Amino acid sequence: SQQGEEDPQALSIQEGENATMNCSYKTSINNLQWYRQNSGRGLVHLILIRSNEREKHSGRLRVTLDTSKKSSSLLITASRAADTASYFCATDIMNRDDKIIFGKGTRLHILP
Amino acid sequence: EPEVTQTPSHQVTQMGQEVILRCVPISNHLYFYWYRQILGQKVEFLVSFYNNEISEKSEIFDDQFSVERPDGSNFTLKIRSTKLEDSAMYFCASSVAGDRAGGYGYTFGSGTRLTVV
């Protein structure tokens, strides 16, 4: 079973619309992080939410965390063409040291 | 903004050869990581490194792999006797405090694309 699975696997929306991506995980975590990856490029850290937090904002990004459901969502408001990328959640598993585990990602495509 | 620098950006090597991938983490970071991403697949953890020793490694990180911090700035991943299936993007990352301190995001480099032929 996967620790950190995003859905949908792919999402296409019109520019200006909001994009919502979800992440589910299986074991308890210290924190959950979201990263963006442009095609063939490196991973960019977007936002980290700790297990005792429920919601966090950063610019046009809004992340929620529901530890009872073991799920998180990333909302990008007023999407732009430059938001086209793959988005990954990564979990820092409780009682496991020194690594974060990535999901398979959601490929987001913003249509002009 | 501080960056993690990886060199080279692309390396092509013959099967069976040894390669060394280089990384310069952010200067005040204490925790270092290697991840890899086979084309079209998920990002996989290889190894974490702290206080000049490996703190955790995955099952992928077998005897073929080794890491070293030869001086105060570089962090290297060596792959001995490369195989075709080692072809992937390799990412270095660093973190100021790792996971024990309650969690800080990782800063990733742009990656080295390794192609084994």
Side-chain angles (χ1 to χ4, degrees):
Chain A
S1 60
Q2 298 285 342
Q3 173 73 357
E5 291 191 31
E6 295 91 338
D7 81 272
Q9 291 186 350
L11 178 64
S12 292
I13 60 171
Q14 293 288 336
E15 192 168 15
E17 293 181 341
N18 296 339
T20 300
M21 290 159 274
N22 302 296
C23 171
S24 60
Y25 57 93
K26 297 195 180 298
T27 57
S28 296
I29 59 173
N30 292 316
N31 64 70
L32 185 145
Q33 305 172 30
W34 284 92
Y35 288 82
R36 184 185 72 227
Q37 184 182 36
N38 291 84
S39 180
R41 305 294 295 274
L43 295 150
V44 176
H45 178 254
L46 296 176
I47 198 164
L48 179 151
I49 186 165
R50 293 185 169 81
S51 60
N52 61 351
E53 297 175 312
R54 292 296 165 259
E55 187 170 312
K56 206 162 183 180
H57 298 255
S58 177
R60 292 185 297 114
L61 305 181
R62 173 176 166 254
V63 168
T64 63
L65 179 65
D66 186 334
T67 53
S68 66
K69 295 181 180 177
K70 291 187 169 58
S71 67
S72 174
S73 67
L74 171 66
L75 169 68
I76 304 175
T77 59
S79 62
R80 305 168 182 169
D83 295 329
T84 294
S86 290
Y87 291 82
F88 297 88
C89 69
T91 51
D92 167 15
I93 301 171
M94 193 174 289
N95 299 324
R96 292 286 299 273
D97 292 335
D98 289 338
K99 68 181 179 186
I100 55 175
I101 303 297
F102 283 84
K104 292 184 178 179
T106 293
R107 293 188 310 280
L108 175 65
H109 185 54
I110 307 300
L111 304 168
Chain B
E1 189 166 332
E3 291 183 341
V4 173
T5 305
Q6 288 188 245
T7 56
S9 57
H10 191 186
Q11 175 140 11
V12 181
T13 190
Q14 294 271 344
M15 189 170 56
Q17 295 294 306
E18 174 182 288
V19 295
I20 297 176
L21 310 183
R22 303 181 191 279
C23 171
V24 179
I26 294 174
S27 60
N28 66 334
H29 284 190
L30 301 176
Y31 293 77
F32 314 111
Y33 310 87
W34 284 99
Y35 284 76
R36 79 173 185 188
Q37 185 181 34
I38 295 171
L39 187 63
Q41 298 188 25
K42 66 190 298 184
V43 178
E44 300 174 294
F45 169 77
L46 292 178
V47 66
S48 57
F49 191 87
Y50 168 71
N51 200 27
N52 286 319
E53 62 182 22
I54 290 173
S55 49
E56 189 164 356
K57 60 183 181 179
S58 71
E59 60 273 12
I60 301 169
F61 195 88
D62 58 20
D63 292 343
Q64 182 193 7
F65 294 87
S66 62
V67 289
E68 195 177 37
R69 188 157 163 82
D71 52 41
S73 61
N74 291 286
F75 180 51
T76 62
L77 174 68
K78 181 188 291 185
I79 309 174
R80 286 181 283 275
S81 190
T82 49
K83 307 169 191 169
L84 294 176
E85 54 264 37
D86 294 327
S87 294
M89 184 78 96
Y90 288 81
F91 293 105
C92 172
S94 67
S95 174
V96 63
D99 299 332
R100 294 188 182 95
Y104 292 82
Y106 292 14
T107 303
F108 281 82
S110 297
T112 293
R113 183 173 299 283
L114 177 66
T115 304
V116 182
V117 297

